[in-house]
Amino acid sequence: VRVPPESLTAPQRTQVEGEEIPAAIEPPVRAYAVTVPPPTLDDLRADAERLQAALAEQHGVAAAAVDLAVLRELSPRLREGQWWASVAVREPLAAGRAPMPGEPTVWAPLRQEAEIVAVGRPAARTLGLAVDLGTTKIAAYLVDLETGHTLASQGMMNPQIAYGEDVVARLSLAMRAPADAQRMQALVVEALNQALTGMCAVVGIAPEETVEAVVVGNTAMHHLFLGLPVEQLARAPYVPAVSSALEVRARDVGLHMAAGGYVHLLPNIAGYVGADHVAMLLATEMHRAAGVVLALDIGTNTEVCLANHGRLTSLSCASGPAFEGAHIRHGMRAADGAIEHLRLVGDRVEYQTIGGAPPVGLCGSGILDTLAQLYQAGVVDVRGRMGEHPRVHDVEGVREFVVVDADERPTAGAGTNDRRLAITFTQKDVRELQLAKGAMRAGIDVLLAENDLVAAEIDRVIIAGAFGTYIDVSSAMAIGMLPRLPLDRFRQVGNAAGMGAKLALLSRTRRLEAEVLARRVDYIELALVTGFSRVFARAMYLG
Amino acid sequence: VRVPPESLTAPQRTQVEGEEIPAAIEPPVRAYAVTVPPPTLDDLRADAERLQAALAEQHGVAAAAVDLAVLRELSPRLREGQWWASVAVREPLAAGRAPMPGEPTVWAPLRQEAEIVAVGRPAARTLGLAVDLGTTKIAAYLVDLETGHTLASQGMMNPQIAYGEDVVARLSLAMRAPADAQRMQALVVEALNQALTGMCAVVGIAPEETVEAVVVGNTAMHHLFLGLPVEQLARAPYVPAVSSALEVRARDVGLHMAAGGYVHLLPNIAGYVGADHVAMLLATEMHRAAGVVLALDIGTNTEVCLANHGRLTSLSCASGPAFEGAHIRHGMRAADGAIEHLRLVGDRVEYQTIGGAPPVGLCGSGILDTLAQLYQAGVVDVRGRMGEHPRVHDVEGVREFVVVDADERPTAGAGTNDRRLAITFTQKDVRELQLAKGAMRAGIDVLLAENDLVAAEIDRVIIAGAFGTYIDVSSAMAIGMLPRLPLDRFRQVGNAAGMGAKLALLSRTRRLEAEVLARRVDYIELALVTGFSRVFARAMYLG
């Protein structure tokens, strides 16, 4: 029975996305309004040199290099603007600066030189693009680099999905067929260019006024975006081509921004713990927490970090795509008509759908609720075996639980009750979920063991990512995906990786901090953990 | 009458090109042989980081950034080379370094960061490309950056000639039609790519092993090569888009070299005194000379510099293409069959041709000799009027001097003497030459006047450029193109600009010196010199 949204317990959400930005705004690119004296027979300096001199005289900005692509536009721009222009100057990090007390000096492989990356119309704003490049979804944000405000945002599917749903499939393809790797690179850049154009249209500026970008993603998305080789990433021992933070020209990857604009990429930690994880750490600031903090970014791969009084340990679990609705009989992505929450009341199922639309299938949070309710009602036992219930039927030897009867669905004719039109949850679906939640819980258990901790000692659990935002934490605890803890220890923070990308876009100090964080994290390769298969087997039990 | 080469006085040539390179070799790119430990489950560092660490441990080279294009090749390269590689590291200039005593601190708009620009096969050499990009001709040199030796060289026509013979024609076209500007850019780069491929084939390496290039040319060629706007260069007051030295990625201009390779461009001085002039100063070292040195690079535009005890003054004269054979009835470029030297003995003309081939026309040095001989024989008077001589005829009211009779030419039938098949030198040709030599001499006279000097005080005259190498200095003095001075004060040094490009390719100190030189030169804009037209009119007189 479909019920109104208020009637089912909705999780408390503390969206990092919605919070005020805590960091000081100190963007790598700043714009200066400059008036340039035109050349005369008595003043024959070149256009670039007269601009540099004006910048120094009017703003005290020391002579900055000018990128070739900017030089190609400069002379006509100055004349069109009647010798009045907005000059975007990029002032990268100082070398060897250590932003955190007690930290070793940071090796920052970044350009040391101030540089003019754009010359625009006199009143141009300085805007930046922050991107969380997920395997399934991409989130893009257009940010005002002066105020820190997010002016527009856009979510979209990662078009590389056409080449494989998960990371492994895409890497295998890229290895076998370099042309496909190039096509995947082009596709994702095309999507970003479209998103940028769309967001700029909303704000009423040209994409060329975007002077800087920060892109975060897992290591595979990072490599495919940059066109880096992936063979060494796809084969044991799974090493990245590069881990450190990178600054690449937007034009070198095909992004259409300001002529000399850069894309900054946060560092990767390992083959399966990427820059998006670093971005999450940056956004949650868990390394500054006094106690024990566990953070999860749930996805096809779930990255988990445990901060034990400032000591960071991370790993990646192959949780699979079940929570994205894949490999589940009636699973679907979170879209209108997806059952997102569900409660079993005796023989009755009460559910709510996204957008209040007629039910179409089960999205991740609905799948989680279903298993939790079935387990709590004793319909599914601790080993995941589906037992007897008025709504459980045997269909060709496979048990399935009817979530929504056919006659509740408008697609079925009135009065008919064709079981094939029902929305069901099968014994096989239970097994898929056990694998997914087992992988995640095993990761958590390994982290606790490595730190000589038990679950009860965790002071806070941060759940990041789109799926994590919408799950019912009680359900996750009920099936043993998350350790049992008081509900007030959990924070569901939304897209922390996207937030981290924004912070890195707005602050040079945060970029340095990200470098430090990436080097500070102890990475655990699960393949090397002795007895891992036993831990994993145990973690698959429900409850 | 054609005579053997020895019978006519050939000028003494002191080719800078042939001289040993005086500067210490301190190239911006050095190669290091590195053996890299392969990744294992216990050593999961990324490929780039393990390479950087190996470079630091084995050679003490501090962590260098890695260009994106290098990262795209790095992982497979390391594996193909079985973890053994040659790593090309670019270590640019230190900022604020002043190479000459008493000089102000140099502002060098160069990258400050060491960078890995190529990862090659274990035994790869580090080669560089030096280019003198002339309006008419291009000279390219493949240089070993370790030994300083020139391994191969190639001369070719500038293919932009199809778009206009001189600078002004090409600039006008580029202004009117941006697509043609792009095409001109592509054409010259294509020519350089072909030259590089050809030279590399001679040496037996791949063009991708060329890690650095230096390109010099006049300001217009510099701008067209880089794809910079030229409108401000083509219109008064004729300012460059940029004057300072530039470092651009080879890929950003389309040159196919090492993945991360750079092209260094020496600074320009003014709209019509470009980086090739700076290269000439660098090669001749005239700024170090104690006395008074005059240097000319003769071409369609002739750049002249006067060093007066270290004080440098330069200007550009619009000498036109007459010395390249253009606008001269039987003028031609220096090719087989061109009359390159000539003497009038009574009624007889003794000449020698390039390659000893039957005469086809007159190249620059032959044209110069012809006018000098006619003037010295009294056939042409001081005002340039052609008088009587057995070889002078009136053809449709225009006087012409027959250099080679039709019956001396194999193209004419034996015994025929059709005057239309003769090689002649016309009254109009005399006028063209007067304009050319007048422009050049006027420039010299202005420089002397600005320095309060008379011609006799010049201690040395350096004549650079292809044409200047082959002229008979006595002839040039005879017609008043050059001031009358003892012959031993002249040096014909060949392609000094190309030599300067090589020096800048081999030495970071020389690059800094070039920056200092460019800023040290006082540039004279002839349009601003009061009474210039009078000086010019006087300079057109012969003798």
Side-chain angles (χ1 to χ4, degrees):
Chain A
V1 184
R2 179 143 50 102
V3 295
E6 303 76 38
S7 59
L8 296 179
T9 317
Q12 281 302 106
R13 287 173 205 160
T14 312
Q15 293 253 2
V16 170
E17 282 183 89
E19 283 174 13
E20 268 307 290
I21 290 157
I25 294 170
E26 34 163 1
V29 182
R30 287 184 193 274
Y32 300 91
V34 173
T35 171
V36 182
T40 63
L41 275 172
D42 295 323
D43 175 6
L44 291 169
R45 286 174 301 166
D47 289 334
E49 279 78 17
R50 68 182 57 248
L51 177 70
Q52 287 165 326
L55 199 56
E57 284 159 21
Q58 291 161 37
H59 297 282
V61 175
V66 192
D67 174 47
L68 178 61
V70 176
L71 286 174
R72 283 175 176 164
E73 301 178 347
L74 178 62
S75 296
R77 282 272 162 91
L78 286 176
R79 285 159 182 83
E80 284 156 22
Q82 294 176 320
W83 302 99
W84 176 251
S86 170
V87 183
V89 180
R90 190 169 198 271
E91 287 160 352
L93 297 165
R97 188 169 153 206
M100 279 184 267
E103 282 294 330
T105 298
V106 187
W107 168 65
L110 308 172
R111 285 179 65 97
Q112 298 312 321
E113 202 183 14
E115 188 180 12
I116 295 174
V117 294
V119 176
R121 58 189 169 83
R125 280 196 277 186
T126 40
L127 301 189
L129 173 71
V131 175
D132 171 33
L133 191 54
T135 310
T136 307
K137 283 184 181 168
I138 300 174
Y141 309 89
L142 188 67
V143 179
D144 187 317
L145 295 186
E146 280 171 49
T147 64
H149 291 139
T150 301
L151 304 177
S153 65
Q154 191 167 322
M156 69 211 98
M157 298 302 289
N158 185 333
Q160 292 175 341
I161 273 188
Y163 290 80
E165 286 222 335
D166 56 33
V167 158
V168 173
R170 284 182 225 168
L171 292 187
S172 318
L173 186 66
M175 264 170 66
R176 283 197 313 272
D180 283 334
Q182 278 178 25
R183 184 76 197 123
M184 281 193 269
Q185 200 273 338
L187 269 178
V188 77
V189 168
E190 209 173 283
L192 293 185
N193 279 330
Q194 279 175 14
L196 182 59
T197 305
M199 292 190 295
C200 285
V202 169
V203 179
I205 64 153
E208 290 72 34
E209 294 187 34
T210 310
V211 294
E212 179 89 3
V214 169
V215 175
V216 305
N218 60 52
T219 311
M221 292 307 108
H222 170 280
H223 278 39
L224 289 175
F225 169 69
L226 292 176
L228 295 177
V230 294
E231 191 157 346
Q232 79 295 335
L233 194 58
R235 290 192 172 145
Y238 313 107
V239 296
V242 61
S243 279
S244 63
L246 290 176
E247 314 245 86
V248 304
R249 292 267 187 209
R251 64 172 172 265
D252 282 341
V253 289
L255 264 186
H256 301 317
M257 307 179 2
Y262 279 87
V263 182
H264 180 94
L265 294 115
L266 292 183
N268 296 311
I269 292 171
Y272 282 89
V273 177
D276 53 351
H277 188 69
V278 176
M280 181 190 76
L281 299 181
L282 206 58
T284 60
E285 298 201 309
M286 57 192 284
H287 55 289
R288 298 194 204 278
V292 176
V293 184
L294 181 75
L296 302 98
D297 195 342
I298 304 175
T300 310
N301 282 285
T302 296
E303 292 91 35
V304 194
C305 181
L306 185 81
N308 182 8
H309 299 272
R311 186 195 152 198
L312 302 173
T313 318
S314 293
L315 51 75
S316 171
C317 332
S319 41
F323 288 123
E324 278 155 8
H327 304 186
I328 299 293
R329 166 84 64 90
H330 285 95
M332 67 179 287
R333 296 192 195 285
D336 276 1
I339 295 171
E340 55 171 347
H341 287 296
L342 175 152
R343 193 163 51 188
L344 186 60
V345 185
D347 293 355
R348 230 164 50 113
V349 176
E350 290 181 356
Y351 59 87
Q352 70 190 45
T353 61
I354 296 178
V360 180
L362 293 152
C363 70
S365 55
I367 291 166
L368 182 63
D369 278 5
T370 304
L371 181 58
Q373 292 288 305
L374 292 181
Y375 174 67
Q376 287 175 318
V379 182
V380 167
D381 72 10
V382 68
R383 290 191 149 75
R385 231 173 55 95
M386 200 178 277
E388 303 298 328
H389 186 273
R391 298 184 78 94
V392 170
H393 306 278
D394 248 60
V395 180
E396 293 166 11
V398 177
R399 297 214 146 171
E400 57 181 44
F401 174 85
V402 177
V403 179
V404 179
D405 282 312
D407 61 0
E408 277 192 57
R409 304 189 65 194
T411 42
T416 70
N417 202 355
D418 186 342
R419 204 169 278 160
R420 287 166 303 178
L421 293 172
I423 297 173
T424 60
F425 187 75
T426 72
Q427 177 65 66
K428 193 177 151 290
D429 294 341
V430 176
R431 298 302 177 205
E432 286 287 337
L433 241 78
Q434 281 182 284
L435 285 167
K437 84 99 189 171
M440 220 176 296
R441 182 58 186 268
I444 296 170
D445 290 346
V446 165
L447 284 175
L448 288 169
E450 291 279 332
N451 281 270
D452 275 328
L453 293 169
V454 293
E457 291 174 275
I458 301 173
D459 297 302
R460 200 191 304 167
V461 180
I462 295 169
I463 304 170
F467 168 71
T469 303
Y470 294 101
I471 62 168
D472 186 324
V473 170
S474 305
S475 292
M477 285 195 286
I479 65 164
M481 178 173 117
L482 297 175
R484 278 194 190 276
L485 293 168
L487 262 179
D488 63 4
R489 295 199 192 166
F490 291 88
R491 297 278 184 283
Q492 287 165 284
V493 297
N495 187 353
M499 183 63 193
K502 280 195 215 176
L503 292 173
L505 183 60
L506 285 168
S507 163
R508 294 186 286 160
T509 301
R510 288 309 196 104
R511 292 186 184 187
L512 264 182
E513 195 177 352
E515 281 275 302
V516 175
L517 275 175
R519 279 154 206 279
R520 227 172 100 165
V521 167
D522 284 324
Y523 168 71
I524 294 180
E525 172 55 54
L526 284 179
L528 288 183
V529 174
T530 46
F532 177 70
S533 55
R534 216 170 48 243
V535 176
F536 182 41
R538 196 175 56 226
M540 282 204 288
Y541 287 118
L542 300 179
Chain B
V1 184
R2 179 142 51 101
V3 295
E6 304 75 38
S7 58
L8 296 179
T9 316
Q12 282 302 107
R13 287 173 204 159
T14 313
Q15 293 253 2
V16 169
E17 281 183 88
E19 283 174 12
E20 267 307 288
I21 290 158
I25 294 169
E26 34 164 0
V29 181
R30 287 185 193 275
Y32 300 92
V34 174
T35 170
V36 181
T40 63
L41 275 172
D42 293 324
D43 175 6
L44 292 169
R45 285 175 300 167
D47 289 334
E49 279 78 18
R50 67 182 58 247
L51 177 69
Q52 289 165 324
L55 199 56
E57 284 159 21
Q58 291 160 36
H59 297 283
V61 174
V66 191
D67 174 48
L68 179 61
V70 176
L71 286 174
R72 284 176 175 163
E73 301 177 348
L74 178 63
S75 296
R77 282 270 163 92
L78 286 177
R79 284 161 182 82
E80 284 156 21
Q82 294 175 321
W83 303 98
W84 175 252
S86 170
V87 183
V89 180
R90 192 170 197 270
E91 286 159 353
L93 297 166
R97 187 168 154 207
M100 280 184 267
E103 282 294 330
T105 298
V106 187
W107 167 65
L110 307 173
R111 285 179 64 97
Q112 297 313 321
E113 201 184 13
E115 189 181 10
I116 295 174
V117 293
V119 176
R121 58 190 170 83
R125 280 197 277 186
T126 41
L127 301 189
L129 173 71
V131 176
D132 171 33
L133 190 54
T135 310
T136 306
K137 283 183 181 168
I138 300 174
Y141 309 89
L142 188 66
V143 180
D144 187 316
L145 295 185
E146 279 172 48
T147 63
H149 292 139
T150 301
L151 304 177
S153 65
Q154 191 167 323
M156 70 211 98
M157 299 302 290
N158 185 333
Q160 292 175 341
I161 272 188
Y163 290 80
E165 286 221 335
D166 56 33
V167 158
V168 173
R170 283 181 226 169
L171 292 187
S172 316
L173 185 66
M175 264 170 67
R176 285 197 313 272
D180 283 334
Q182 279 179 24
R183 184 77 195 121
M184 281 192 271
Q185 200 272 338
L187 269 179
V188 78
V189 168
E190 209 173 283
L192 293 184
N193 279 329
Q194 279 174 14
L196 182 59
T197 305
M199 292 190 296
C200 285
V202 169
V203 179
I205 63 152
E208 290 71 34
E209 294 187 34
T210 310
V211 293
E212 179 90 2
V214 169
V215 175
V216 305
N218 61 51
T219 311
M221 291 308 108
H222 170 279
H223 278 40
L224 289 175
F225 168 69
L226 292 176
L228 295 177
V230 295
E231 191 157 345
Q232 80 294 335
L233 194 59
R235 291 194 172 144
Y238 313 108
V239 294
V242 61
S243 279
S244 63
L246 290 176
E247 312 245 87
V248 304
R249 291 268 186 208
R251 63 172 173 265
D252 282 341
V253 289
L255 263 185
H256 300 145
M257 307 180 1
Y262 278 87
V263 183
H264 180 94
L265 294 115
L266 291 184
N268 296 311
I269 292 170
Y272 283 90
V273 178
D276 53 352
H277 188 68
V278 176
M280 180 190 77
L281 299 181
L282 205 58
T284 60
E285 297 201 309
M286 57 191 286
H287 56 288
R288 298 193 204 278
V292 176
V293 184
L294 182 75
L296 301 98
D297 195 342
I298 304 174
T300 312
N301 282 283
T302 296
E303 292 90 34
V304 194
C305 181
L306 185 82
N308 182 7
H309 299 273
R311 186 195 152 198
L312 302 173
T313 318
S314 294
L315 51 75
S316 171
C317 332
S319 41
F323 288 123
E324 279 155 6
H327 304 187
I328 300 292
R329 167 84 64 90
H330 286 94
M332 66 179 287
R333 298 192 194 287
D336 275 2
I339 295 171
E340 56 171 348
H341 287 296
L342 175 154
R343 193 162 50 188
L344 187 60
V345 185
D347 293 356
R348 231 164 49 112
V349 176
E350 291 180 353
Y351 59 86
Q352 70 191 45
T353 61
I354 295 177
V360 181
L362 293 151
C363 69
S365 56
I367 292 167
L368 182 63
D369 278 5
T370 305
L371 181 58
Q373 292 288 305
L374 293 180
Y375 174 67
Q376 287 176 318
V379 183
V380 167
D381 71 9
V382 70
R383 290 191 148 74
R385 231 171 56 93
M386 201 177 275
E388 303 296 330
H389 186 273
R391 299 184 76 96
V392 171
H393 306 279
D394 248 60
V395 180
E396 293 167 12
V398 178
R399 297 213 145 172
E400 57 179 46
F401 174 86
V402 177
V403 179
V404 180
D405 283 314
D407 61 0
E408 277 192 55
R409 304 189 64 194
T411 42
T416 70
N417 202 357
D418 186 339
R419 203 169 280 160
R420 288 168 301 179
L421 292 173
I423 296 173
T424 60
F425 187 73
T426 72
Q427 177 66 66
K428 194 178 150 290
D429 294 341
V430 177
R431 297 302 178 206
E432 285 287 338
L433 242 75
Q434 281 182 283
L435 285 168
K437 84 100 187 171
M440 221 178 295
R441 182 58 186 268
I444 296 170
D445 291 346
V446 165
L447 283 175
L448 288 169
E450 290 280 332
N451 280 271
D452 276 326
L453 293 169
V454 293
E457 291 174 277
I458 300 173
D459 297 302
R460 200 192 306 166
V461 180
I462 295 168
I463 305 171
F467 168 70
T469 303
Y470 294 101
I471 61 168
D472 185 324
V473 170
S474 306
S475 292
M477 285 196 285
I479 65 164
M481 178 172 116
L482 296 175
R484 279 195 188 278
L485 293 168
L487 262 178
D488 64 3
R489 294 201 193 165
F490 292 88
R491 297 279 185 282
Q492 288 165 283
V493 297
N495 187 354
M499 183 63 194
K502 279 194 214 175
L503 292 174
L505 182 61
L506 285 168
S507 164
R508 294 186 286 159
T509 301
R510 289 307 197 104
R511 292 185 185 187
L512 263 181
E513 195 177 353
E515 280 275 303
V516 175
L517 275 174
R519 279 154 206 279
R520 226 170 102 165
V521 167
D522 285 324
Y523 169 69
I524 294 181
E525 173 55 55
L526 284 179
L528 288 181
V529 174
T530 47
F532 177 69
S533 55
R534 218 170 46 244
V535 176
F536 183 41
R538 196 175 55 228
M540 282 205 290
Y541 287 119
L542 300 178

